[in-house]
Amino acid sequence: MINPVGTIVIALILGIVFGMSIRGEYFNKKTYATIFGFALFIDIFMGSFPYYTWDIFVELPVSGIFLAAMVGLFTGKAFRER
Amino acid sequence: MKFQQSQEMRNLIAAIFVGIFSYFIIKALTDFDIVPGVSYIYNLRGPLIAPNMITVILFDWRGYDTLGEAFILITAVLTTGILFGRGVLGGDVSEKDSTPIRPSTIVQKVFAAPLVFIIVAFGVVITLGGHITPGGGFQGGSVIATAFFLSVVVYGFKKNVFNLSHNSLETLEGVGALIYLCLGLVGLGLSGYYLYNVGADLYPYLGVGDTATRLFSYPDSTNAGIIPYLNIGIALKVLSGFCTIITVLWGAEKK
């Protein structure tokens, strides 16, 4: 990638692409709460994996790619619902 | 009439690309110089950059390895389609076939949809970190495909969480293959070697300018060149390949 930020951007784009193919009928507030809880746990557990993005979140050691992919999935799904 | 015209246009575009690809292949074969070829330079300089030879091999021979894997996957999809896919890929999986094979429990129905989100995000992480961690396009694509499998098993084919038709799978596979081919051609055009790892730190040792180096490199001691981009292409291809297989097998199970 051009730099570590590039991977975050590509993760966001891939998340949006996959999120746009997800149907909305199985998701409600409880589902979103479950996803948020799981995602937070996994993100903290993964730490700065993969390691070349750690200089971005040096104060907040979470997986930047995982976070970006999750945000992209939600964004893509929101696009689809519109 | 329109269909015929579009078919002719597609054939024409395909012929042009086959021509370009053939030219580069012939050029590479005629210009091929095995001593001191790419392997010599890799063996000489690789350990000075990467921690050990395994990493060098993982970085710079991985493209060829993945090319073989992609061919195996294509063969698997074709074989599955020929054996089980009679009429299924035409999109005629009937409404009766939309129910799961066995009724899902409430736990499965509640937790499958959130898990799909998590699995897809994890697959993206594995794909994008593949050049520096144990992972890659094949593994990442497989992980994302398991999200599709899970939703098909729990919710049935027609009502699964993903809205992936055969056409969209075809498009996804085409985009993945095109990314892979184009990156291979970049290496072929600039160095004479198909799938040469343009942008890696080894590149200047071939005596070629550093324009492409700037384009594909990032400021990291373990610079992987085009490998991360190859991983993205392969992930899309593997994902669509596995999803096509499950589509075919699902139709075969019900017929």
Side-chain angles (χ1 to χ4, degrees), chain B residues 132-150:
Chain B
I132 202 168
T133 56
F138 209 96
Q139 295 86 335
S142 309
V143 168
I144 298 170
T146 54
F148 181 71
F149 297 169
L150 178 71

Side-chain angles (χ1 to χ4, degrees), chain A residues 6 13 18 22-23 26 35 37-39 48 56 62 65 73-74:
Chain A
I13 293 169
F18 293 129
I22 289 179
R23 289 195 179 103
Y26 298 107
I35 293 172
F38 269 125
S48 52
I56 301 172
V62 296
I65 295 181
L73 280 167
F74 280 114

Side-chain angles (χ1 to χ4, degrees), chain B residues 34-114:
Chain B
I34 200 153
V35 181
V38 175
S39 62
Y40 172 77
I41 298 169
Y42 282 170
N43 290 334
L44 191 68
R45 296 288 180 182
L48 301 177
I49 298 162
N52 52 51
M53 276 311 291
I54 294 173
T55 313
V56 174
I57 290 165
L58 274 179
F59 273 15
D60 291 321
W61 293 100
R62 198 165 192 167
Y64 293 103
D65 170 58
T66 310
L67 187 65
E69 287 171 353
F71 273 115
I72 291 169
L73 185 66
I74 289 169
T75 314
V77 173
L78 280 175
T79 311
T80 314
I82 289 167
L83 285 179
F84 302 106
R86 190 182 297 168
V88 175
L89 296 183
D92 58 346
V93 180
S94 65
E95 279 301 318
K96 195 188 84 176
D97 298 336
S98 65
T99 52
I101 299 168
R102 290 174 189 160
S104 305
T105 65
I106 189 72
V107 175
Q108 288 170 332
K109 283 180 181 172
V110 167
F111 281 99

Side-chain angles (χ1 to χ4, degrees), chain A residues 7-82:
Chain A
T7 48
I8 306 286
V9 174
I10 291 176
L12 194 68
I13 293 169
L14 284 177
I16 290 172
V17 168
F18 293 129
M20 285 179 79
S21 68
I22 289 179
R23 289 195 179 103
E25 59 196 73
Y26 298 107
F27 297 93
N28 52 33
K29 285 179 183 174
K30 285 178 186 173
T31 324
Y32 286 126
T34 313
I35 293 172
F36 183 75
F38 269 125
L40 200 65
F41 175 74
I42 292 170
D43 212 16
I44 292 169
F45 183 75
M46 284 169 79
S48 52
F49 181 91
Y51 309 110
Y52 64 99
T53 59
W54 61 16
D55 51 347
I56 301 172
F57 296 107
V58 68
E59 298 296 331
L60 188 65
V62 296
S63 174
I65 295 181
F66 188 83
L67 202 63
M70 287 302 294
V71 171
L73 280 167
F74 280 114
T75 313
K77 194 174 162 303
F79 276 146
R80 182 185 164 81
E81 282 172 1
R82 283 197 170 190

